[in-house]
Amino acid sequence: MDFLNNTGPGVTAGDMSTDELAQLQKSLEAGYGSEMSNLTGGSALRIQSLDTTLQATVQDNEHFALFNALPKPKATAVLDEWTEQSSIGGFEGDSFNDQDGAAAEANGEYARRVGRVKYLTTYRKIPIVLSTQNNIVDPVATEQVNGAKQLLTSIEFSLFEGDEDVTPKAFDGIAKQIEGLGSVDHVINMDGQALSAVDPVMKAAETVFGFGNFGKITDLYMPPSVQTDLNNKLDPAFRVALDNSPNSITYGTHVRGIQTSWGAVATRNDVFIRDEKRKQPFQLRGGQHAAIATKNDPFKPASVTGVAAAGSPASKWKASRAGEYRYAVTGINHNGESTAVVSDAVTVAANGKVTLTIGRSSSQAETGYVIYRSRQDVVTGELSDMRELARVPASGSATTVYVDESQSIPGSTNAYALNLSASDHAIAWRQFLPMLKIPMAAVNSPIIPWLQMICGYLRITKRNQHVLIKNIVPLGSAWRPFTAE
């Protein structure tokens, strides 16, 4: 058919007016409509251009860095027990004696410890119709992978931040277990500074190698923001070309490890170690968080009040950090957090403290509280100006009290100096059941339902061979807790 020459089957010779030509062109336009039932004209002739690859921006196996690195010995019961030896007995230089003297008695020190297996589950389902039609991916297989990633996400996060006192269905993570030692040597407080030099890592390695600990640090786990600071700020004198190639040392070289006198410490990035970007109030974190928080409002705290006073000698409120602050508190249990209750402004002085009194919800379903604090002298009450400060267990009474002496910095992050040497057996994921898929019954609905499950917990058998570096505020953090820092 030749429209230009008015020839071809079904074409009548003759002139076409300008209006008729415009109408013809309009009727044949492909257009950009996406509602199939409404397409007309040329749009109705268009074949969909649908990419058959599912483009996913979600976590993958490589992101579960610590879980992948941990040994996974089997736990044979849900109450898992082991014995720790902390001493051989005696002290240095105590074995000297006369040639016929009575030997002093000495014995090693032993303690029985207990770990509790935890149960992680997710329920998934898809319609049978969906599973039988043409799809760009297998929906059952895709959701099964999603379920596995959901369980591993919960594990990876809890390996670092789990707290059984706050969420009893969870296991205690590294931070909780190391702080439980009560050793100032095993918790290095950066007090709001960046981890951009080797000194804290050297100190951690020295501590773990030292007498009474007898271990070695092999890996330093940190969020990407801390790795960036190490890359940008680490003195070039400390950079070592392991392959003897000049090209391996360039501007912007990735710091793969830190050499200490007690061995090399490899740097490991873990996106599940939270920094300020992921310590916003729960309801502001995007996605489903706002809806989940609203659904959890039955255990929203009834009230929160703050009272400032003089602090103890342990107070970390410097004069430069004194000023006005607000607090927000959410209720928390294994279902997530509620929406927040915001306090009135509180003015804290140097070396002071703020005592928060949190009123229990009417449902009493919360097992703990998440406390957020504003930036210094930004007291608008906007949640966007607040970051997570602490998580505390509910007291079980009408009120729970938390004393803020600025021992924790809101929006800060942690790094974890760990002994992952296989021969030392210092830390492991004790697995009671591997990842399981359990078919479920489809009751009154044409669906394919199933449950996925994994059971285990984090066991740290040698807590004194690991060090927590806390209260790190990376140089690139957009949210700064203090005005002058």
Side-chain angles (χ1 to χ4, degrees):
M1 181 180 295
D2 186 349
F3 279 109
L4 292 178
N5 298 310
N6 294 322
T7 61
V11 175
T12 302
D15 294 332
M16 178 177 288
S17 69
T18 302
D19 289 344
E20 290 173 328
L21 179 60
Q23 290 176 7
L24 175 62
Q25 290 174 331
K26 182 176 180 180
S27 69
L28 294 179
E29 284 180 354
Y32 293 103
S34 59
E35 178 56 51
M36 296 299 105
S37 61
N38 294 334
L39 295 184
T40 59
S43 295
L45 303 177
R46 187 183 70 227
I47 297 175
Q48 281 184 290
S49 174
L50 177 62
D51 190 342
T52 57
T53 301
L54 179 63
Q55 307 297 338
T57 55
V58 298
Q59 53 267 55
D60 213 337
N61 184 61
E62 67 181 276
H63 297 113
F64 307 112
L66 181 55
F67 181 78
N68 290 335
L70 291 177
K72 299 172 181 63
K74 181 175 177 55
T76 57
V78 296
L79 197 64
D80 192 37
E81 301 180 69
W82 70 97
T83 302
E84 293 184 3
Q85 180 180 355
S86 58
S87 169
I88 60 173
F91 56 89
E92 304 97 307
D94 70 336
S95 301
F96 297 100
N97 200 355
D98 297 324
Q99 64 178 359
D100 56 353
E105 181 179 349
N107 293 289
E109 295 181 15
Y110 308 90
R112 178 65 59 89
R113 295 192 63 207
V114 177
R116 288 176 287 275
V117 167
K118 300 296 182 173
Y119 316 103
L120 295 96
T121 60
T122 181
Y123 176 76
R124 301 267 165 164
K125 65 181 181 181
I126 66 161
I128 288 178
V129 172
L130 177 62
S131 70
T132 55
Q133 69 182 16
N134 290 331
N135 299 291
I136 60 174
V137 294
D138 182 335
V140 174
T142 299
E143 280 305 305
Q144 185 173 334
V145 171
N146 290 341
K149 290 178 179 179
Q150 179 190 357
L151 298 181
L152 291 174
T153 294
S154 293
I155 291 173
E156 190 77 8
F157 165 79
S158 298
L159 289 175
F160 299 108
E161 295 193 36
D163 190 330
E164 190 175 359
D165 291 335
V166 176
T167 311
K169 295 183 186 295
F171 53 81
D172 283 339
I174 298 171
K176 175 72 178 299
Q177 294 194 47
I178 294 178
E179 289 190 302
L181 275 173
S183 167
V184 295
D185 292 331
H186 288 82
V187 179
I188 298 174
N189 186 358
M190 297 299 293
D191 196 28
Q193 302 304 305
L195 179 57
S196 56
V198 299
D199 304 61
V201 182
M202 293 289 189
K203 180 62 178 176
E206 175 194 342
T207 293
V208 170
F209 184 82
F211 189 89
N213 300 317
F214 305 111
K216 61 181 178 181
I217 295 298
T218 61
D219 299 82
L220 181 68
Y221 280 78
M222 68 192 84
S225 54
V226 173
Q227 178 73 61
T228 297
D229 286 348
L230 285 176
N231 292 349
N232 292 340
K233 295 295 183 179
L234 195 61
D235 190 326
F238 287 98
R239 299 177 187 256
V240 179
L242 298 180
D243 56 3
N244 296 316
S245 170
N247 292 329
S248 69
I249 300 182
T250 58
Y251 189 81
T253 294
H254 168 58
V255 178
R256 293 172 291 175
I258 298 171
Q259 187 66 46
T260 76
S261 297
W262 309 278
V265 178
T267 58
R268 309 292 187 192
N269 282 202
D270 198 305
V271 297
F272 293 97
I273 302 175
R274 297 186 301 153
D275 55 19
E276 65 90 7
K277 293 186 290 292
R278 296 184 57 233
K279 288 194 171 183
Q280 296 183 69
F282 186 86
Q283 67 203 71
L284 301 184
R285 293 177 195 167
Q288 302 178 21
H289 287 81
I292 294 170
T294 300
K295 183 179 179 180
N296 290 338
D297 271 352
F299 56 83
K300 178 178 181 177
S303 61
V304 56
T305 57
V307 177
S312 73
S315 175
K316 293 287 186 179
W317 284 107
K318 303 176 183 177
S320 62
R321 297 177 178 179
E324 283 193 321
Y325 295 87
R326 280 186 189 263
Y327 294 83
V329 180
T330 64
I332 187 174
N333 63 23
H334 65 282
N335 291 315
E337 296 179 42
S338 70
T339 59
V341 177
V342 180
S343 75
D344 292 333
V346 181
T347 300
V348 59
N351 303 314
K353 68 179 180 181
V354 176
T355 301
L356 291 179
T357 302
I358 305 166
R360 194 167 191 180
S361 72
S362 57
S363 72
Q364 301 184 11
E366 70 269 34
T367 55
Y369 302 99
V370 183
I371 301 170
Y372 300 86
R373 195 174 82 197
S374 71
R375 291 180 289 160
Q376 182 182 15
D377 294 326
V378 179
V379 291
T380 62
E382 295 291 335
L383 290 179
S384 58
D385 281 328
M386 300 187 182
R387 294 295 184 271
E388 185 175 320
L389 171 69
R391 297 183 173 212
V392 297
S395 67
S397 61
T399 59
T400 296
V401 174
Y402 173 77
V403 177
D404 179 15
E405 291 193 317
S406 209
Q407 297 282 356
S408 297
I409 304 296
S412 64
T413 189
N414 296 336
Y416 302 82
L418 307 178
N419 178 7
L420 296 184
S421 174
S423 61
D424 285 339
H425 308 287
I427 183 172
W429 167 258
R430 292 283 287 183
Q431 188 154 288
F432 181 67
L433 285 176
M435 190 82 71
L436 300 175
K437 178 185 176 184
I438 305 170
M440 306 295 286
V443 180
N444 299 327
S445 183
I447 59 173
I448 302 174
W450 70 92
L451 181 141
Q452 287 173 244
M453 181 178 190
I454 186 171
C455 303
Y457 75 103
L458 176 68
R459 187 170 90 173
I460 304 180
T461 51
K462 299 177 181 178
R463 290 179 294 168
N464 57 349
Q465 293 189 0
H466 313 280
V467 173
L468 170 66
I469 306 174
K470 71 173 189 176
N471 286 332
I472 304 166
V473 177
L475 295 170
S477 293
W479 190 92
R480 313 295 297 183
F482 307 111
T483 303
E485 300 179 26

